[in-house]
Amino acid sequence: MITSRISGAWEAALEATGPVLTAATAFSLIRVFEGDGWVLPVYVAAAISHLLAIAIRRIGWGMLVSTLASGVGLVLTVTWSHYWSTVFWGIPAGNTWAELGDDLEQAWTVFGELSPPVAPRDGFTVSAMAALWLLAFVYDWAAMRTRALFEPMVLPIAATGFVGLVGGGQHRALTIGVFTGALLLFASIHRVAARTADARWLGGEGRASSGRRALLVGSSAIAAVALIGALAAGPVLGTQDDPIVDLTKAVNRGQRTSGRVVISPLVDIRGRLVNQGDAVMFRVRAEDRSYWRLTSLDQFDSRVWTSRADYAARPTQLPTLFQSGTSVLESVQHFSIEQLGAVWVPAAFEPRSLTSGASATIDISYEPSSSTLIVGRSMVSSNGLTYTVSSALPRFDPEALKAIPLDTAMIPEVEPYTALPSDFSPRVQDLATQLTAGAGSGYEQALALQSFFRSGDFIYDTNVTPGHSENRIEEFLSNRRGYCEQFAGTFAAMARSVGLPARVAVGFTVGEADPDDPNLYVVSGRHAHAWPEVYLAGAGWVAFEPTPGRGAPGAQNYTGIAEDQAIGASEIAPVEDDLNLDSPFAPDNPTDFESLFPPESPDLDNPLVDFGSNRGGGMTWTIWIAILAPVLAVLLILLIPWFKQVQSQRRFLKITGNRGKIRLLWTETVESLALINMTPRLDETYAEFARRAIEQVPLHSPDLRQLGELAAAATFAPSEPSDRNQWLARTWSLSVRAEVNFRVSRGQKLAAAFNPQPLFGSRWRGRRGPSWTIGP
């Protein structure tokens, strides 16, 4: 009795240590993420995983069921917490997997290129949720099912070590201390629980409490010494600036390129628009207004726009004059960078010369293929820089651009700017072809695409999921809501699909003019912007503006778009567009996107079901499945107690002799005793188990002992038991099961009643004791 209670208490303590260890592991993520947006989803996922594993193990189901349930639980938790708008009756749909894939792909693309702490993007948060979910699942399997000591610690140690490699230096001692304390707590509790379950104490149970206390005190003392030593010695043994072992040279020797790896600025654009809208990025004094360009992105892999440029340090070599078909306006800008937090240096396109405002030299390089100014390797970012740029602002003549034939030979240097992934959406390509049909020049093709986006049907909205993959492009073209990232990325991809070299430029709009100094512009996060550039033979890179509410200074004569940078609360509402569709720059017959898809084609908003085609004909089979499947599952669960009762009655009636029926009654009685943690040992006889159960539980009636004697006689006696013996066995079995039922909690009763394991036969039952065969 006492041993059983003590074992149960330490079992519960070991079970509770799992969530503590997982929470300590998750706590180390404060070195990776900024803010607290990741805390709730990550900790909720870990808690659900632990609770699900505990419930399944206590019910008595095996690892197969636990693994399947855990996988389903992870999918539903991630879906409902991050992609609820894409589910279909609560079930992940095609758009769900597409958005999840896009987020994970973007997370993988930018992994290793961000300096922590970073914003908790969906891809990062979902990955952390999955990792903590796996930690909780493995802990329950290794610590609670197999009673292992080392295996439950492997994944938490690996996860915390990984965070230490990629995370920042802040909170290092705190996170290490919390994790080490949780790890040592687990080791101590595991040690005491193992000794309690397996060991036999000299002096009996009376000396057991002293032994357990000594084990716990000793383990705690060792843990405290180790923890204090780690916290005290850690800062002394080495730092990032002065490590014990410096592998920098070895790593540098192993690098295959001297190029500089930088993250796509599109990754940060929505964060600047939404989260840093009021933060001042830089100030610029200029007599000529312009978009302040950072860089351009020339590579589209069906997921994200990136740059293939090699940002190796090189001397500043600025470009030559523009080609024919343009005139230039020389412009001088004086920049003062405050908190841009990027390696790019803003300038009006196209920079010609650069001087420093603080010293005689400045560590800034020029990357010609993307027309990018970038800080040298000696600088982390451009923050704090002051410099002066001289730029040649293009002033294109629309008639000269229109006169460039469509079949003009393309120079080899710009051919890569027409590349698209092999799996690029054919429907989007067909739309681009229809929109540009009849255009006699690349300039007119670009105008047709621009007019489509600015026709008044598209709405500027930052409340959409970032990205411009194939699925996101189709979703954007169908929903017609997005911000500059979607407009620019989709325009460039569609331009490439009709053979126009195109890329995505990233930077800022003009900014707000200082009331006291009209030539001084304050550029904030809300001015972050992206726009497409199209290469036209003989003219060079020409900027267009598909985003409603935006218009580049000095470009109205060839784009038909007046200068604009609408910002503020109106961004999520329809924007009054300034493009005159009757102008010569608009297409003659604008094409409706939906007209490309006949009524029988699936709607892009929901690839699973076409609601429009079923408004008068009832629901489709997918809807019926989505409705009936959960209802059927609930009904089957509710009918489990009835199924078990019917099975027990059929099994009893199937046995013809009293011998088999008495043995069946004994087996069912032993199964009920398992609810109060009383199971037979392999070396016990019927009578020995009954006597031990009566003494340790204790049972108030001798019915179990008498039932054990009858079961032994039914098993080994040569004669068949009488009907009276069978009636007595049934009476005693019901008496014992009623007493057990009185002792267990309501939760245990429900778990036992709805446990489907007995329905699947003895093959699915765990070997908890001796194999007392039932039957004749």
Side-chain angles (χ1 to χ4, degrees):
M1 166 80 180
I2 297 177
T3 302
S4 176
R5 288 181 178 177
I6 292 177
S7 299
W10 286 106
E11 176 92 1
L14 184 61
E15 199 171 56
T17 307
V20 173
L21 182 58
T22 305
T25 306
F27 181 69
S28 64
L29 292 174
I30 63 174
R31 298 178 58 185
V32 176
F33 296 130
E34 63 181 5
D36 56 1
W38 60 274
V39 175
L40 184 61
V42 168
Y43 275 91
V44 167
I48 294 176
S49 181
H50 274 292
L51 292 175
L52 187 61
I54 290 172
I56 293 175
R57 174 171 45 79
R58 289 197 171 190
I59 289 175
W61 293 341
M63 278 302 299
L64 177 61
V65 176
S66 181
T67 303
L68 294 176
S70 183
V72 172
L74 174 60
V75 170
L76 293 180
T77 301
V78 168
T79 299
W80 293 348
S81 63
H82 285 75
Y83 307 100
W84 179 254
S85 61
T86 67
V87 301
F88 182 69
W89 290 85
I91 301 174
N95 284 344
T96 307
W97 301 112
E99 290 199 12
L100 175 61
D102 287 346
D103 288 339
L104 294 178
E105 181 71 18
Q106 288 187 15
W108 178 256
T109 300
V110 303
F111 176 73
E113 300 176 358
L114 289 173
S115 298
V118 299
R121 306 178 188 279
D122 286 345
F124 291 148
T125 305
V126 167
S127 300
M129 291 173 65
L132 270 298
W133 189 286
L134 178 63
L135 259 65
F137 173 77
V138 171
Y139 178 90
D140 191 84
W141 162 72
M144 305 306 301
R145 290 182 182 266
T146 66
R147 299 297 181 179
L149 173 62
F150 177 71
E151 287 81 354
M153 298 189 291
V154 172
L155 285 183
I157 292 174
T160 306
F162 176 77
V163 170
L165 290 175
V166 303
Q170 72 279 9
H171 309 302
R172 179 184 291 119
L174 177 61
T175 54
I176 292 177
V178 170
F179 176 74
T180 305
L183 199 65
L184 295 174
L185 174 66
F186 160 72
S188 301
I189 297 297
H190 185 280
R191 184 185 184 197
V192 176
R195 290 296 181 90
T196 299
D198 300 333
R200 296 292 180 266
W201 299 92
L202 294 176
E205 190 59 36
R207 300 288 298 173
S209 60
S210 298
R212 296 187 191 97
R213 186 164 53 250
L215 280 174
L216 191 58
V217 171
S219 299
S220 301
I222 296 174
V225 170
L227 179 59
I228 294 173
L231 294 178
V236 178
L237 291 178
T239 63
Q240 184 176 2
D241 297 330
D242 185 21
I244 298 176
V245 179
D246 189 359
L247 300 178
T248 305
K249 295 181 179 180
V251 173
N252 290 338
R253 285 195 301 268
Q255 294 179 343
R256 292 179 294 178
T257 176
S258 60
R260 185 176 192 169
V261 178
V262 295
I263 186 174
S264 168
L266 280 183
V267 173
D268 293 325
I269 197 166
R270 187 177 184 274
R272 296 190 191 278
L273 289 168
V274 178
N275 302 325
Q276 298 179 313
D278 297 327
V280 177
M281 302 288 106
F282 56 87
R283 302 175 192 269
V284 55
R285 182 185 302 277
E287 294 184 0
D288 303 295
R289 300 163 65 88
S290 174
Y291 279 177
W292 315 119
R293 188 177 182 276
L294 292 178
T295 187
S296 64
L297 311 174
D298 60 350
Q299 185 168 274
F300 183 53
D301 61 358
S302 79
R303 295 284 182 179
V304 66
W305 282 92
T306 56
S307 176
R308 74 183 78 194
D310 179 12
Y311 293 107
R314 65 187 67 202
T316 302
Q317 297 177 350
L318 296 176
T320 57
L321 293 175
F322 282 91
Q323 303 179 35
S324 60
T326 68
S327 61
V328 296
L329 175 65
E330 295 295 332
S331 173
V332 179
Q333 313 113 53
H334 306 278
F335 284 89
S336 177
I337 311 298
E338 296 191 10
Q339 50 179 329
L340 184 58
V343 295
W344 300 278
V345 178
F349 185 81
E350 185 169 24
R352 295 295 180 82
S353 65
L354 178 70
T355 58
S356 172
S359 61
T361 60
I362 185 170
D363 189 12
I364 295 180
S365 300
Y366 180 74
E367 205 293 313
S369 67
S370 60
S371 304
T372 301
L373 293 172
I374 190 169
V375 298
R377 292 180 179 274
S378 63
M379 305 178 65
V380 176
S381 71
S382 60
N383 289 353
L385 279 181
T386 58
Y387 57 94
T388 300
V389 178
S390 294
S391 301
L393 307 183
R395 293 297 181 259
F396 296 106
D397 179 3
E399 294 301 323
L401 296 177
K402 190 175 181 179
I404 302 174
L406 190 60
D407 57 355
T408 302
M410 189 182 305
I411 61 175
E413 288 77 7
V414 299
E415 288 185 0
Y417 294 91
T418 61
L420 281 174
S422 58
D423 59 349
F424 184 72
S425 171
R427 299 201 295 179
V428 176
Q429 186 170 1
D430 290 342
L431 172 60
T433 302
Q434 290 193 29
L435 289 172
T436 58
S441 65
Y443 168 62
E444 291 174 303
Q445 287 182 318
L447 273 182
L449 294 176
Q450 175 184 271
S451 299
F452 168 68
F453 290 107
R454 301 192 66 108
S455 62
D457 294 333
F458 285 84
I459 297 174
Y460 188 98
D461 186 0
T462 58
N463 298 316
V464 297
T465 305
H468 25 73
S469 66
E470 175 185 332
N471 292 322
R472 293 276 167 81
I473 287 178
E474 291 192 351
E475 180 182 352
F476 167 62
L477 291 173
S478 180
N479 297 337
R480 304 199 174 191
R481 303 182 73 94
Y483 55 99
C484 56
E485 177 183 348
Q486 283 77 36
F487 283 98
T490 303
F491 180 106
M494 294 175 70
R496 288 191 175 191
S497 70
V498 296
L500 284 177
R503 64 188 185 185
V504 176
V506 182
F508 295 84
T509 57
V510 180
E512 302 295 325
D514 190 320
D516 300 325
D517 187 352
N519 291 331
L520 178 63
Y521 302 97
V522 180
V523 182
S524 304
R526 66 169 63 93
H527 299 111
H529 190 44
W531 62 94
E533 295 176 341
V534 174
Y535 187 88
L536 300 177
W541 289 104
V542 181
F544 289 85
E545 187 52 272
T547 304
R550 301 294 187 273
Q556 183 175 3
N557 67 315
Y558 74 90
T559 62
I561 307 298
E563 178 184 342
D564 197 2
Q565 55 174 0
I567 54 175
S570 62
E571 293 290 43
I572 61 174
V575 179
E576 185 69 24
D577 199 274
D578 56 357
L579 178 66
N580 183 4
L581 294 180
D582 294 331
S583 70
F585 307 107
D588 295 335
N589 296 302
T591 304
D592 182 10
F593 179 65
E594 298 301 332
S595 67
L596 290 178
F597 307 103
E600 62 270 13
S601 297
D603 183 60
L604 287 177
D605 292 333
N606 193 337
L608 290 182
V609 58
D610 182 5
F611 288 101
S613 62
N614 288 283
R615 289 172 182 167
M619 293 186 292
T620 63
W621 64 272
T622 52
I623 300 179
W624 281 113
I625 291 178
I627 296 174
L628 295 178
V631 173
L632 180 61
V634 172
L635 287 177
L636 289 175
I637 293 174
L638 294 177
L639 289 175
I640 286 177
W642 180 78
F643 285 139
K644 291 167 67 175
Q645 183 180 4
V646 171
Q647 184 191 60
S648 177
Q649 292 176 352
R650 291 185 60 187
R651 188 167 56 173
F652 188 86
L653 295 175
K654 185 178 179 180
I655 300 174
T656 56
N658 290 329
R659 186 192 302 274
K661 291 183 178 181
I662 292 175
R663 290 160 61 185
L664 174 61
L665 290 169
W666 168 258
T667 300
E668 292 178 342
T669 305
V670 171
E671 290 177 348
S672 70
L673 287 168
L675 294 176
I676 53 176
N677 297 320
M678 181 55 61
T679 56
R681 293 195 292 259
L682 292 174
D683 58 345
E684 281 184 317
T685 64
Y686 297 83
E688 289 172 343
F689 170 70
R691 183 167 57 252
R692 183 168 63 88
I694 293 173
E695 293 174 354
Q696 292 185 3
V697 173
L699 296 176
H700 298 297
S701 67
D703 293 340
L704 181 63
R705 178 179 55 79
Q706 295 171 335
L707 177 62
E709 293 174 353
L710 274 180
T715 302
F716 302 108
S719 58
E720 180 76 10
S722 64
D723 291 340
R724 175 175 172 76
N725 288 339
Q726 185 257 111
W727 177 83
L728 288 174
R730 190 167 190 176
T731 302
W732 292 335
S733 175
L734 292 173
S735 174
V736 173
R737 281 187 274 178
E739 186 171 350
V740 170
N741 190 57
F742 178 80
R743 290 174 177 272
V744 299
S745 65
R746 181 177 299 178
Q748 289 176 305
K749 293 177 185 177
L750 290 175
F754 291 96
N755 179 14
Q757 188 175 7
L759 296 174
F760 301 103
S762 59
R763 290 179 301 172
W764 299 92
R765 299 177 185 174
R767 288 292 185 179
R768 297 175 178 265
S771 178
W772 289 325
T773 307
I774 60 175

